[in-house]
Amino acid sequence: MGERFFLYDDTVETKTRFISFMGDTQRFDLAIIKSDRYYGKSLVLDIQSNRFAIIGTDDLDEPGYIEHAYNLSEEEAEELKSFLYEVV
């Protein structure tokens, strides 16, 4: 194997919020990571489903984005969106 070629190798300060809440349809266990990366958007990890997405308010307004990113029904996605509008 040849020499490893890094596209980047940065260490950045982050603020991470761990939160768990019960919606009407399911429980959400999230880690929300904020940093200077991703143009002001947050990295939102759903620990239960092992899925994540980079989310800003524009993504929350995009039809079907949350449903696809987290493999949720429309009703489940609405619960998650209503919370994420408060924190991203």
Side-chain angles (χ1 to χ4, degrees), residues 44-79:
V44 181
L45 294 84
D46 182 343
I47 298 165
Q48 291 284 339
S49 70
N50 206 23
R51 293 175 160 268
F52 66 92
I54 299 168
I55 298 177
T57 53
D58 60 327
D59 300 303
L60 296 173
D61 294 333
E62 184 70 31
Y65 182 77
I66 298 300
E67 291 87 337
H68 176 73
Y70 296 102
N71 195 29
L72 298 173
S73 70
E74 191 173 324
E75 183 181 2
E76 294 166 334
E78 282 305 315
E79 290 179 338

